[in-house]
């Protein structure tokens, strides 16, 4: 299995909605839910960066929960590296 997005490099990345720094976790989770967690790698990383930007370290938990919905989910250890 290829890492998230590696098999889909030919597809342009989907738009990732920027979040306000004061976003609540529920808002972040709602926005992540609009994206397919099996999206291309660039979109997946941008979604994680947006969650982190909005929630700080708590964004990792939201990103991890969303990412787990993908058949390409690498596990929490890969997200933290």
């Amino acid at each position: 299995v290829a890492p998230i997005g590696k098999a889909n490099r030919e597809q342009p990345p989907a738009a990732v909605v920027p979040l306000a720094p004061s976003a609540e976790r529920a808002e972040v989770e709602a926005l992540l839910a609009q994206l397919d967690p099996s999206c291309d790698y660039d979109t997946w990383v941008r979604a994680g960066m947006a969650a982190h930007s909005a929630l700080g370290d708590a964004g990792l938990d939201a990103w991890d929960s969303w990412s787990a919905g993908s058949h390409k989910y690498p596990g929490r250890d890969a997200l933290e590296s």
Side-chain angles (χ1 to χ4, degrees):
V1 175
I4 291 182
K6 296 293 184 191
N8 297 331
R9 285 279 182 190
E10 64 278 357
Q11 296 177 357
V16 175
V17 178
L19 300 171
S22 62
E24 298 287 332
R25 181 173 171 141
E27 181 181 3
V28 171
E29 289 173 342
L31 290 169
L32 288 172
Q34 295 178 30
L35 298 172
D36 179 359
S38 296
C39 58
D40 65 272
Y41 180 78
D42 292 331
T43 300
W44 178 74
V45 169
R46 289 174 53 204
M49 290 189 294
H52 182 266
S53 175
L55 300 174
D57 290 339
L60 178 61
D61 292 331
W63 188 41
D64 179 51
S65 295
W66 169 75
S67 295
S70 171
H71 67 281
K72 300 186 283 185
Y73 177 61
R76 178 76 181 230
D77 291 341
L79 300 183
E80 293 178 329
S81 61

